[in-house]
Amino acid sequence: GQQVMQIPQYQHVQEGEDFTTYCNSSTTLSNIQWYKQRPGGHPVFLIQLVKSGEVKKQKRLTFQFGEAKKNSSLHITATQTTDVGTYFCGCAGGATNKLIFGTGTLLAVQP
Amino acid sequence: DAGITQSPRHKVTETGTPVTLRCHQTENHRYMYWYRQDPGHGLRLIHYSYGVKDTDKGEVSDGYSVSRSKTEDFLLTLESATSSQTSVYFCAISRTGHSYEQYFGPGTRLTVT
């Protein structure tokens, strides 16, 4: 079945440093989504990428979809303490047509 | 927040007892999902629904059943709770379909002792 790997599992940064998380699928995707979950909260949808090579930005967040539509990255420039949380990718396009979520990257930001 | 509520928000129960978790939405969306979240596993799909009385299994459905008799309510039942079902359970809806963005409820933390 479809496998989704997300790395790293955990990253600790100083406030102001950059952060990147990567998501890799074993199968070609129809789209990929990113979610953020604050500690003690629920996942919140951030963005969806559909096109090969697509790049989208939301303020300090940059999302990329790979050319082969099998991987994606989320990059945060100049992290702030409000960026703390777990970032999940949700991959669509496997045989079941359901979202498969990565295991998430927990971001800790030290002031 | 897509008008999703979950009840109860916290529950402690004993092994072998039945438990029902409720997900309620106010916007009449067709697609609803139940996930469990455990450390190291992310979000795993238990069951989903694509309409009233239309449900199907996800990747971790053993020990769980669901029902959807009304558009707004999606119930998850643990027929005989086990300690391995201690988890945080999230309900989600999709406005457009299985492969599209999902909106999550606040979650239910279930502890089986």
Side-chain angles (χ1 to χ4, degrees), chain A residues 9 30-31 33 35 37 40-45 48 86 88 92-93 96-104, chain B residues 1 9 33 35 37 40-45 48 57 59 90 98-107 109:
Chain A
Q9 288 188 322
S30 59
N31 73 71
Q33 301 159 32
Y35 294 77
Q37 184 177 21
H42 59 277
V44 174
F45 173 76
Q48 177 174 285
T86 301
F88 292 96
T96 66
N97 201 34
K98 307 298 175 297
L99 279 187
I100 305 294
F101 286 92
T103 52
Chain B
D1 270 346
R9 294 293 314 280
Y33 308 85
Y35 293 91
Q37 185 175 41
H41 290 279
L43 293 156
R44 292 182 292 174
L45 182 64
Y48 62 95
K57 297 178 180 180
E59 63 178 307
F90 287 102
H98 291 319
S99 300
Y100 300 94
E101 63 268 28
Q102 295 187 6
Y103 297 88
F104 288 79
R109 183 172 295 276

Side-chain angles (χ1 to χ4, degrees), chain A residues 40-61:
Chain A
H42 59 277
V44 174
F45 173 76
L46 294 176
I47 206 160
Q48 177 174 285
L49 305 171
V50 179
K51 298 177 183 177
S52 169
E54 188 170 16
V55 177
K56 288 188 176 180
K57 293 190 176 185
Q58 290 180 349
K59 297 183 180 178
R60 295 176 295 103
L61 277 61

